[in-house]
Amino acid sequence: MSPGIGPSGTPPRRGQSARWRGALDLLRLVRREPGITRTAAARALRLSSGSATDIAARLRDLDLVEESPVTPTGRGRPTTALGAHPAGPVVVAVDIRHEDYEVAVVDLAGTVVRTERDRHPGDDPGWLLGRLRTSLDRIRRRYRHRLRAVSIAAAGTISHGRFVQASTLNWYDIDLDALQPRRTRLPMLVGNDATLAGVAEARRHGSRTTLYLTVEVGVGGILVDEGAPVTGATGAGGEFGHLPFGDPALACPCGAYGCWDLDVDGRAMARYRGDPPPRDPRSYAGTTIGLAAGDPDAAAAVERCATALGRGIAGLVNALDPDSVVLGGLAGPVRRLAEPALTASYTSGLMAFRRAAPPPLRTAVLGDRASILGAADVAFDAFLTDAGLTDWANR
Ligand SMILES: [Zn+2]
């Protein structure tokens, strides 16, 4: 098994010291299932009722969880619902998209307690970094010790923790470390937006090995194994859109020829309809999809994209062996409009032994919240460790 491809846990489990044994399990459970009752948590973690009560009380005293009384049903003993403490830890999740960005403060229960969203001029990463820096400084002043990590989802290729290439924005090698607050250094995580969306979706779909694919401008995605993304040696894995599944005569902005990206999105639809390359492929695709019900040319363009999508999914399933495939972004509506074409090319591209029980194609459930929730997921993974809790207790 090559490094980085082993199961890494859901979320990754690290060695637990005696001090936090039980506490970390309970916090991770509350994160996964906010509002779970103490009784249900005890059952899930195989704890006695007394141990669960003790651990919950300790976490309440540390401002980590809040317990709210729950009216018992039937003859059950009184219990409490476990949620995020109002003075508890928070993380900042940032989503840098093609046209806009969002900065959200997220608590242990996954609730977005504060958010701001604005457009950015696509040609000026310096402007965007300045805005993000101001916003992060404001959040740090407001939340002080409660702020535990900053996690950034970026619409570009991330390698060695750096934002190295956003081909469709023409951005190269952006140093996100400039976002660190002045005096304190916070853990800062950076991930590709589709990778983080895949983490969030896979954890909510509950399959073991999930192939997540999303179509926006091109195809992004990631293989998520037991909750952890398989991102390769430098973190840049998952650029499935740049597999050579497309027309080898077409040059991709990434620098390669014949990329799958060019066959499945708004750029492809424009080519198929005889239109010039659209300035905004995402909205061109949205318009084409909207027209497909009454316009045969638009319907045919969507169908060709569905066929290209299905063929690529089959190739990835043959290579990666997931137990389910989750489709996000425009892949959802493309599939709805051209299900027979997509299913036919998916099935015909599978190796024979897979056809009896092919991995099911599922539709993503988090919509455009997936990347920011995935960024918050990995930020809380980083906090919910022995060191993270010890640091919190000593704050
Ligand atoms: Zn490419």
Side-chain angles (χ1 to χ4, degrees):
M1 190 175 283
S2 56
I5 307 191
S8 311
T10 319
R13 290 170 67 93
R14 295 175 180 89
Q16 292 182 23
S17 71
R19 183 177 182 195
W20 298 112
R21 192 173 301 139
L24 276 170
D25 289 336
L26 186 60
L27 286 167
R28 289 171 181 154
L29 183 59
V30 171
R31 171 127 189 89
R32 272 202 312 279
E33 296 179 43
I36 189 170
T37 64
R38 201 177 56 211
T39 310
R43 216 168 25 238
L45 300 175
R46 296 187 185 157
L47 294 168
S48 69
S49 164
S51 298
T53 303
D54 289 349
I55 295 169
R58 184 167 166 227
L59 295 177
R60 195 183 58 223
D61 290 345
L62 284 167
D63 295 348
L64 283 163
V65 299
E66 182 173 59
E67 290 190 87
S68 331
V70 173
T71 314
T73 52
R75 283 183 293 158
R77 290 169 47 147
T79 187
T80 58
L82 304 173
H85 195 282
V90 295
V91 299
V92 178
V94 178
D95 192 9
I96 301 175
R97 294 178 284 247
H98 287 103
E99 289 112 30
D100 61 358
Y101 68 93
E102 180 173 353
V103 180
V105 178
V106 184
D107 72 11
L108 181 83
T111 304
V112 174
V113 293
R114 169 199 167 114
T115 184
E116 55 189 69
R117 200 167 172 163
D118 203 353
R119 294 183 69 81
H120 65 77
D123 55 356
D124 190 356
W127 180 95
L128 176 61
L129 288 181
R131 288 291 290 265
L132 292 176
R133 176 66 189 257
T134 306
S135 178
L136 290 175
D137 279 344
R138 201 160 48 227
I139 290 168
R140 194 181 53 82
R141 283 196 299 276
R142 162 94 170 70
Y143 290 90
R144 301 162 67 92
H145 70 271
R146 292 182 58 199
L147 180 56
R148 292 284 127 176
V150 176
S151 184
I152 300 168
T157 305
I158 308 300
S159 177
H160 292 297
R162 290 177 71 88
F163 189 154
V164 292
Q165 176 168 350
S167 319
T168 46
L169 285 167
N170 220 11
W171 293 2
Y172 294 92
D173 209 16
I174 312 288
D175 186 5
L176 295 168
D177 211 45
L179 297 176
Q180 275 288 356
R182 279 181 189 85
R183 281 181 294 278
T184 48
R185 281 191 77 78
L186 285 167
M188 186 172 284
L189 302 113
V190 188
N192 169 267
D193 55 353
T195 296
L196 293 168
V199 168
E201 290 284 355
R203 290 186 184 184
R204 284 151 184 88
H205 281 268
S207 51
R208 182 178 177 274
T209 305
T210 308
L211 172 63
Y212 172 74
L213 293 169
T214 180
V215 177
E216 297 291 341
V217 179
V219 194
I222 194 70
L223 185 73
V224 183
D225 196 27
E226 299 207 0
V230 179
T231 54
T234 73
E239 294 285 356
F240 301 133
H242 304 284
L243 282 163
F245 295 159
D247 177 351
L250 292 176
C252 177
C254 78
Y257 282 81
C259 290
W260 189 29
D261 254 18
L262 303 174
D263 271 16
V264 294
D265 67 359
R267 293 169 293 184
M269 291 179 194
R271 244 180 16 256
Y272 302 151
R273 293 172 75 196
D275 283 342
R279 220 179 68 80
D280 180 352
R282 177 75 172 74
S283 80
Y284 184 93
T287 307
T288 306
I289 286 166
L291 288 171
D295 176 338
D297 283 350
V302 173
E303 195 171 302
R304 285 180 72 175
C305 286
T307 300
L309 190 60
R311 197 169 50 237
I313 294 170
L316 286 167
V317 165
N318 289 338
L320 299 172
D321 195 26
D323 55 30
S324 76
V325 180
V326 175
L327 300 175
L330 294 169
V334 164
R335 179 188 177 201
R336 264 198 308 283
L337 281 167
E339 174 99 47
L342 195 150
T343 305
S345 69
Y346 172 47
T347 311
S348 67
L350 288 173
M351 296 162 72
F353 85 95
R354 294 192 187 278
R355 288 199 195 123
L361 306 182
R362 302 202 160 107
T363 302
V365 294
L366 297 172
D368 67 357
R369 311 302 297 153
S371 298
I372 213 153
L373 293 175
D377 282 347
V378 299
F380 271 105
D381 289 350
F383 170 65
L384 292 177
T385 60
D386 282 333
L389 290 196
T390 301
D391 195 46
W392 175 262
N394 295 338
R395 70 198 184 280

